[in-house]
Amino acid sequence: IDGRIYSGFNHAGGELGHMVLVQGGHPCTCGRRGCFETYGSATALVRDTVEAARRNPRSRMATLVDGDLSRIDARIAFIAMREGDAAAARVVEDYLDHLGEGLANIVNAFMPEVLLLGGGVCHEGDSLLVPVRERVDRLAYYGPGVRKTRIGLATMGNQAGIVGAAMMALACLDEGMAG
């Protein structure tokens, strides 16, 4: 906010992955249930892909990993969907719906100019971005004349979280030295 990393008064703010999307939903590492992180992360996509492949052992999701579900990563459902797997298409649609809901909540709360997505699933490019943008544009509250948040991909890929954490630590150190 105003060119600075927002960390709240106690340096624990900005944990947007822990806003609840599905009350009573999947358990989260924070101790709550149904957090955005448990539905809109690559880990959530892998979990849902594994569950769908287990229920549909002849699906393309399962055959792409030769039946070894431990080899499923965040891209398998997208690949299988593009190859015509209906079960994979449902997994991807559910994932995109949850991701869109969570991002729309962030837009509604902060109305950022730009929102960047990071992590391995971002290698999907437009297969991810186009439907997510459509969902956020439909779900976010953009009143008359309000510019829409630009949604793009972080250029650091899987390193984005690590770099962000390091920058936050540096900001905390700077505040500690200045105060």
Side-chain angles (χ1 to χ4, degrees), residues 3 15-16 22 31 34-36 43 46 58 67 69 73 95 99 115 119 165:
E15 286 292 337
L16 302 173
V22 178
C35 292
F36 180 28
T43 302
V46 169
R58 289 185 171 79
L69 303 187
D73 63 24
Y95 172 74
L99 185 58
L115 206 160

Side-chain angles (χ1 to χ4, degrees), residues 96-105 107-108 132-142:
L96 294 171
D97 286 346
H98 287 114
L99 185 58
E101 284 286 353
L103 295 177
N105 287 340
V107 168
N108 288 341
V132 165
R133 285 176 179 148
E134 289 170 355
R135 283 163 171 82
V136 173
D137 286 351
R138 185 178 73 247
L139 297 168
Y141 177 73
Y142 294 115

Side-chain angles (χ1 to χ4, degrees), residues 142-160:
Y142 294 115
V146 174
R147 288 183 303 146
K148 293 180 178 178
T149 297
R150 288 189 332 254
I151 299 174
L153 300 177
T155 58
M156 294 181 198
N158 283 332
Q159 302 302 316

